[in-house]
Amino acid sequence: MSLHRRDVVKALLAERGGLLVVAGLGSTAWDCTAAGDHDLTFPLWGAMGCAAVMGLGLALAQPRRRVLVITGDGEMLMGLGSLATIGVQKPANLSVVVIDNERYGETGMQATHTASGVDLAAMARAAGFATGVLVRDAAGVGALRKMVHEADGPNFAQVKVAAEKVPLVLPPREGVLLKNRFRAALLGAGAALE
Amino acid sequence: MQQVLSQHRIGVVGYVPDGGHKRLIELCQADARMRSVVLSTEEEGVGLAAGAWLGGERSVLLMQSSGVGNIVNALATVRECRFPVTILVTMRGENGEFNPWQVPMGQATGAVLRAMGAVVHRVDNPADVAGQVEASLRIAHGSYCAAAVLIGQRLIGIKSFQEQANQ
C-alpha cells in the first residue's frame, strides 16, 4: 500500500522539538503547513532548486540545531549539484527528505525524471551523504523519523508517495514576514536589529 | 579584502572559483572564523546565503561575471525576502577579452544585477577595492539587499592561455 504525502510529513514534524525546517516550493510547502504552520518552518514560494542548499546554510549557521529540508522530486532535480556541495561540507545536523510522487504536482502532474527510475538516494550516497535511503512503507517512515531527529548526517531520504491531489493548505506568502518570524523565533527579538 | 570581510563578521563564504579570486579564496579558507563553501553552481550560493542569514550568519559570494547569469531567479528570493548578501564579481568579457564566449555575459552583468534589484558598485583601481567591498557590505546589511562589486578586468589582468602555458 503506497504512502500518502501528508501522513509522511505529519509524522516527521510531530513533536518536532527545536527542529528547523526548510520546505521546498509547491506541494511540500503545503504539506508542512497542513502539519501545522510554524515560525521555525521557512516555506519557499520560489527559488526552485535551492531548498537543500538553503538547509545547508542554516545547518552551518546553527550547528547545534537539527535542520530538515522537506522538498519535492522536481525541486530536488533542479538542484542536484547541491547534493555534491552538501556532501563536501558534511553537516552532521542536516537531513534532506524528498517527497517523491514522480510528478510536477503544481503544473499538471507531468512525470519527473524519478518516474523513469532516476535514483536520488543513490545520487546522495554517491555525493558523500552519510545515509541515502529509499522509503516505501510505514515502517520506513518510522525509521526515517528517527534518522531526521537523531542520526548524524548529512542524511538523505527519497520517500515514494502516491501521486494524489490533496487540499491546498497555504502558508503566509510574504517573504519578509516569513524571514523575520523565523529569525525572531530562532535568534530572539534582537535579530531584527542586526 | 579578506580583512574587511573578517571585520564585518562574515561567517560563510560561498564560491565558484575564478582566477581573480584565487588569493582571496585561500585567505578565507585559512580563516577559522569563516566557513568556505565550494559550490557546483553560483545559484547554490544565493540559497546558502539565505539559509545562513536565517540562522544568524552573514555571507559573501565570490563568482565570475558569467556566474551572475546563473543566479538570476535566485535573486528574486533575495529581493522578496530582503536577504542581505554581498557578491564579489570578477569581470570577464571586457577590456581586451580574448574569449568571445565571455563577452555577452560580461557586458550584461551590471544590467542583469540591477534588473534584479541588486546595488552595483564597480572598481577598476586596485586602491579602491577594499573601500568598495566595505561599502557593499554596509549597504547589503544596512538595507537588507544584494550588493555587488564588479571588479574590472583591467584590474585583474587579461587572461591569456599562452601566459598560462608558460607558467
Side-chain angles (χ1 to χ4, degrees), chain A residues 12-192:
Chain A
L12 295 179
L13 296 182
E15 295 169 44
R16 57 189 274 175
L19 188 69
L20 310 178
V21 178
V22 175
L25 87 169
S27 302
T28 43
W30 325 151
D31 294 338
C32 289
T33 310
D37 187 31
H38 197 291
D39 286 353
L40 291 175
T41 295
F42 192 75
L44 289 162
W45 285 85
M48 188 163 175
C50 286
V53 81
M54 203 172 283
L56 172 63
L58 187 51
L60 294 180
Q62 290 287 327
R64 283 192 282 275
R65 299 288 286 260
R66 298 200 71 87
V67 176
L68 170 62
V69 175
I70 301 182
T71 193
D73 43 309
E75 204 277 345
M76 189 70 247
L77 283 160
M78 200 176 276
L80 286 178
S82 62
L83 295 179
T85 297
I86 293 165
V88 170
Q89 297 300 322
K90 294 199 177 357
N93 56 333
L94 176 64
S95 296
V96 178
V97 173
V98 173
I99 303 296
D100 179 13
N101 67 350
E102 304 183 351
R103 300 285 188 281
Y104 290 104
E106 301 300 310
T107 57
M109 297 298 266
Q110 299 91 344
T112 65
H113 298 42
T114 61
S116 298
V118 170
D119 186 342
L120 296 172
M123 286 181 170
R125 288 196 302 274
F129 275 65
T131 53
V133 296
L134 186 65
V135 176
R136 291 185 179 278
D137 55 28
V141 174
L144 176 59
R145 180 181 158 83
K146 196 170 168 57
M147 183 180 94
V148 164
H149 289 271
E150 296 173 25
D152 274 355
N155 303 303
F156 185 95
Q158 181 178 8
V159 185
K160 291 288 183 182
V161 298
E164 59 188 344
K165 276 296 197 187
V166 290
L168 282 178
V169 185
L170 302 179
R173 282 199 308 282
E174 194 197 353
V176 172
L177 181 152
L178 294 165
K179 176 190 72 171
N180 286 341
R181 73 174 194 174
F182 190 103
R183 281 171 50 89
L186 176 61
L187 306 167

Side-chain angles (χ1 to χ4, degrees), chain B residues 121-136:
Chain B
H121 297 99
R122 183 184 169 94
V123 285
D124 288 295
N125 182 346
D128 296 335
V129 174
Q132 285 297 346
V133 169
E134 176 147 42
S136 286

Side-chain angles (χ1 to χ4, degrees), chain A residues 42 46-48 50 53-54 56-58 60-62 81-82 85 89 173-176 179 182-183 186-187 192 194, chain B residues 9 35-40 43-44 47-48 50-58 73-74 77 80-83 144:
Chain A
F42 192 75
M48 188 163 175
C50 286
V53 81
M54 203 172 283
L56 172 63
L58 187 51
L60 294 180
Q62 290 287 327
S82 62
T85 297
Q89 297 300 322
R173 282 199 308 282
E174 194 197 353
V176 172
K179 176 190 72 171
F182 190 103
R183 281 171 50 89
L186 176 61
L187 306 167
E194 165 74 15
Chain B
R9 292 177 286 122
R35 181 70 172 247
S36 297
V37 179
V38 60
L39 309 164
S40 74
E43 184 184 14
E44 291 171 12
L48 179 80
W53 180 249
L54 287 177
E57 284 281 4
R58 298 177 168 203
N73 184 53
T77 292
E80 166 57 23
C81 300
R82 301 193 68 177
F83 283 118
Y144 307 97

Side-chain angles (χ1 to χ4, degrees), chain B residues 3-162:
Chain B
Q3 281 180 351
V4 174
L5 302 187
S6 187
Q7 283 160 7
H8 281 261
R9 292 177 286 122
I10 297 301
V12 178
V13 179
Y15 67 93
V16 174
D18 180 52
H21 281 130
K22 184 169 183 288
R23 182 73 183 133
L24 179 59
I25 291 168
E26 288 164 358
L27 288 170
C28 291
Q29 286 172 334
D31 188 333
R33 292 162 300 178
M34 287 182 191
R35 181 70 172 247
S36 297
V37 179
V38 60
L39 309 164
S40 74
T41 175
E42 293 81 358
E43 184 184 14
E44 291 171 12
V46 181
L48 179 80
W53 180 249
L54 287 177
E57 284 281 4
R58 298 177 168 203
S59 302
V60 159
L61 305 180
L62 314 181
M63 64 186 69
Q64 192 185 98
S65 48
S66 51
V68 170
N70 293 341
I71 66 170
V72 178
N73 184 53
L75 287 177
T77 292
V78 169
R79 188 167 185 178
E80 166 57 23
C81 300
R82 301 193 68 177
F83 283 118
V85 55
T86 307
I87 309 171
L88 308 184
V89 181
T90 45
M91 294 302 294
R92 294 287 306 269
E94 58 179 29
N95 246 312
E97 172 68 53
F98 83 104
N99 179 350
W101 300 49
Q102 285 280 0
V103 175
M105 191 63 233
Q107 290 298 309
T109 298
V112 164
L113 285 165
R114 286 191 187 90
M116 294 309 295
V119 174
V120 180
H121 297 99
R122 183 184 169 94
V123 285
D124 288 295
N125 182 346
D128 296 335
V129 174
Q132 285 297 346
V133 169
E134 176 147 42
S136 286
L137 288 162
R138 283 185 191 282
I139 205 159
H141 289 98
S143 297
Y144 307 97
C145 65
V149 182
L150 309 187
I151 303 168
Q153 193 161 3
R154 193 164 44 178
L155 188 157
I156 301 158
I158 295 158
K159 185 173 179 174
S160 154
F161 283 121
Q162 191 60 48

